[in-house]
Structure formats: C-alpha cells, structure tokens
Amino acid sequence: MRLVTYRGDKGPRAAGARPDGVVDLHQADPELPHCTKTLLAGWADYRPRAEAALARGEALPREAIELAPPVPNPQKVICVGANYADHATESGMAPPPEPILFAKFPTAVRADGDPIVLPRVSGEVDYEAELVVVIGRRGRNIPREQALAHVAAYACGNDVSARDWQLRKPGGQWLLGKSFDSFAPMGPALVTADEIPDPSGLDIQLRLNGQTMQHSNTRHFIFPIDFLVAYISTVCTLLPGDLIFTGTPEGVGFARTPPVFLQPGDEVEVEIERIGVLRNPVAAE
Ligand code: ZN
C-alpha cells in the first residue's frame, strides 16, 4: 500500500493513497490507528483491515488535503555515507570497510512539495538522491537474516547537504551540515515493504530542473539494507518510524566541474523505481 500522512484538523493523519485521492484509514475503520507510526509498528496485523478500508473508504481529493511528511515525527534520522562505490570515488574516499553513519535532526524532515530552504549561512547547498528505509518493528541486535522483517516501508528521500558546513567547518560538521531545517525531504508516500520484496534492484535518479544529475541502481550498494539494519541495531534500539537514508550514488553537485549548487527557483526531483517521484522547489531563506 502507498501510505501518506496528511495535515488534519487535529494533527497528522495516516491515509492510504488511491488514484482518485487519499482515504483517511481511521475514519474508514475506527479500529485502525490515525498515527502513522502505530500503523507501521503493527502493519502485519493491520494490513488486511487497511486494504479493506482503502478499497471502500471515501477518498479525499488530493487537492483538498495538505501532505505532511510521510513519517511526521521520526525519533531518529540515520544516514549512511559513501554507500555507493562510484560516489565514494568522486568524493575522494576509498570504499569504506564498514558503514559510515551519521544523523540528521528530525526537524529537517519535510513533505513532497515543501520547499528546500537555502540557509543564509551557506553558499554550497547540494542534493543527494537516496532510498529511505522506514523501520516498523522495534529491535536491538537484530540478526541480519531477520533484518528485513523490521522494515515497514520505503520512500524517496533527498539528503540535502551544506557542503561548506559539512566539509570545511572545524572538525567537519556532518551533523550540522546535513541538519538545517528542510534538509530531509521525503515521500511523496511510503510504499509498504510487502510491495517491494527485493529493495536491492531499484533504479534511482535525481533531476535538477528536469536534467538528470544522478542515475544508478540500489544493486550498487556497498552495504545492503539487511546488513545496515543489523549493524545499526548493534548500537541503538531501532523504533517504529525511524528513518535510514541509505546513501547516494555518483553525480552530486560539489563533485562536478564546475560545482553545481542549489539556487532559489530550482526544482529537484528524486525518482525511485516502484516508489515514485519526490518533488521539491528550492527557496531562499
Ligand atoms: Zn547522503
């Protein structure tokens, strides 16, 4: 199912997407939660009811609702650096022997259509097309062979990065350079994992103002998703709604000659096979 979250009168509401609009799942079936995280945590049990509710519920036309980020309030946003060998090379790094992990503050998360806001304090804001993994079932020390059972859904994401902060502030401020408000757009929907049994062969691309800048496939991951989930869970408990941005392929702006950075008025699209297109305009602060 394609799950979205929309801004309701009383807060964010989980909904299923249909060609004619979205169906508020709790409204269609009061046994279903209105909270996306709760729905993801129990998706295996909720799925039959949610499918029935989506089929028979009344659709709200897409233009009548405002999308929220598909996970409105993730507890963690974990990112993987240099997870495609070609991007490691263009960044001047050797392919890492173990995953390089960092984080974004959850306040960076935005929905499809929300602007990426260029902070006044950066002149080098870059794009990164990424497949986002959404955790469903909580877990710690998850064995690799059970890891995909902890994944509830997938989405398109853009790991927007202020390169001047990330690379040239004292110490290299990856956390800050990646955490400006609006630097984690994702969506437009979550596609539940039952629809994507094998996430390791998905075409991924990024277009800037219609021009293809990145084009690869998740089969080129250095560390596949089951490995990442197991690895991260040796450090911290993964919780429903936690997001893992799985890394970006070759073609980012700062590695080009001359470099390409986002400008007010740009439009960035991340497209992933079987998942959809995430579209965000770029605006000045
Ligand atoms: Zn990234």
Side-chain angles (χ1 to χ4, degrees):
M1 184 178 295
R2 306 181 79 79
L3 291 170
V4 297
T5 302
Y6 77 97
R7 299 181 203 276
D9 297 336
K10 292 182 220 129
R13 310 270 306 185
R18 272 194 340 214
D20 58 337
V22 309
V23 175
D24 184 311
L25 294 174
H26 177 73
Q27 209 164 54
D29 179 348
E31 298 279 307
L32 291 168
H34 58 78
C35 164
T36 305
K37 271 189 197 173
T38 311
L39 190 66
L40 294 173
W43 181 246
D45 296 326
Y46 287 131
R47 185 180 157 196
R49 293 195 82 104
E51 284 171 350
L54 178 64
R56 70 158 191 274
E58 194 188 330
L60 303 160
R62 179 62 191 79
E63 53 291 355
I65 54 127
E66 193 186 340
L67 282 182
V71 180
N73 48 355
Q75 205 243 12
K76 292 192 268 313
V77 183
I78 300 162
C79 302
V80 187
N83 199 27
Y84 291 77
D86 54 4
H87 174 62
T89 304
E90 76 175 346
S91 306
M93 302 163 76
E98 282 188 55
I100 298 170
L101 298 173
F102 57 97
K104 286 174 176 290
F105 294 134
T107 40
V109 172
R110 290 294 181 277
D112 180 61
D114 286 347
I116 295 165
V117 179
L118 304 175
R120 276 189 299 267
V121 293
S122 172
E124 298 188 359
V125 178
D126 202 352
Y127 53 79
E128 293 191 354
E130 306 205 3
L131 174 68
V132 179
V133 169
V134 185
I135 296 296
R137 198 194 304 166
R138 73 178 280 147
R140 175 88 203 276
N141 292 317
I142 300 166
R144 186 172 176 185
E145 57 278 9
Q146 287 169 29
L148 287 185
H150 288 257
V151 173
Y154 300 96
C156 302
N158 190 343
D159 174 17
V160 181
S161 307
R163 301 298 185 195
D164 36 8
W165 282 66
Q166 178 195 350
L167 302 171
R168 293 201 304 277
K169 288 287 183 186
Q173 297 281 11
W174 282 54
L175 173 69
L176 299 181
K178 305 266 191 175
S179 281
F180 285 95
D181 282 3
S182 82
F183 273 24
M186 61 174 293
L190 306 180
V191 179
T192 54
D194 47 89
E195 296 204 6
I196 313 216
D198 180 11
S200 66
L202 304 174
D203 218 50
I204 177 167
Q205 53 178 301
L206 182 139
R207 291 183 294 272
L208 176 60
N209 303 322
Q211 186 188 341
T212 302
M213 307 296 275
Q214 296 181 281
H215 191 184
S216 188
N217 189 288
T218 59
R219 82 171 78 89
H220 300 304
F221 278 156
I222 298 172
F223 303 104
I225 289 164
D226 57 345
F227 183 91
L228 292 170
V229 169
Y231 185 90
I232 295 166
S233 79
T234 62
V235 175
C236 57
T237 303
L238 287 170
L239 298 173
D242 281 355
L243 306 176
I244 304 172
F245 280 64
T246 54
T248 202
E250 179 181 40
V252 297
F254 88 94
R256 292 170 174 269
T257 318
V260 174
F261 294 116
L262 298 179
Q263 305 296 330
D266 283 350
E267 183 187 65
V268 191
E269 293 172 296
V270 175
E271 178 163 12
I272 302 178
E273 185 182 0
R274 303 181 63 185
I275 297 183
V277 183
L278 167 69
R279 220 172 256 114
N280 296 95
V282 178
E285 187 171 38

